[in-house]
Amino acid sequence: WLNALLLAVVLHRRGFLQPDARLKQRLPRSILATAAMAAALAAALPLAQPWLDGRFVERATALAVVITAGTLLFFVAAAALGIARPAELKALLRRRG
């Protein structure tokens, strides 16, 4: 978030970033979705701790599970908060695919 904030400040000062109404409306909800994801992952950390102290394969697996869970948690929170409609996400995936 700090990197994104600093980049936004620099881009805004150089005139490359002009926040529109949609960004201004969705940014607080995006921050809230991020906070919900972080809180859920922090609460689940004790469950993953035994694997985080294990061998490389156990740590790598635990990290992959945590990253996947965090991503899913964020998308669920984002959908619940109305940050992006499913049609918008599908359109983004179609453009990249």
Side-chain angles (χ1 to χ4, degrees), residues 51-52 55-67:
W51 291 284
L52 295 174
R55 296 183 315 228
F56 174 77
V57 173
E58 292 169 334
R59 292 192 320 261
T61 302
L63 180 60
V65 169
V66 167
I67 290 171

Side-chain angles (χ1 to χ4, degrees), residues 33 36-38 40-41 66 68-78:
M37 176 196 66
L41 289 176
V66 167
T68 302
T71 302
L72 291 174
L73 285 166
F74 178 80
F75 281 118
V76 166

Side-chain angles (χ1 to χ4, degrees), residues 5-84:
L5 178 63
L6 292 173
L7 180 60
V9 168
V10 169
L11 290 174
H12 183 68
R13 286 184 181 169
R14 293 182 182 180
F16 294 113
L17 177 64
Q18 299 300 324
D20 60 358
R22 191 169 78 167
L23 176 63
K24 290 176 183 178
Q25 179 187 29
R26 292 180 180 186
L27 186 60
R29 289 184 277 170
S30 181
I31 292 170
L32 186 59
T34 302
M37 176 196 66
L41 289 176
L45 182 61
L47 299 173
Q49 195 61 48
W51 291 284
L52 295 174
D53 294 334
R55 296 183 315 228
F56 174 77
V57 173
E58 292 169 334
R59 292 192 320 261
T61 302
L63 180 60
V65 169
V66 167
I67 290 171
T68 302
T71 302
L72 291 174
L73 285 166
F74 178 80
F75 281 118
V76 166
L81 293 169
I83 294 171

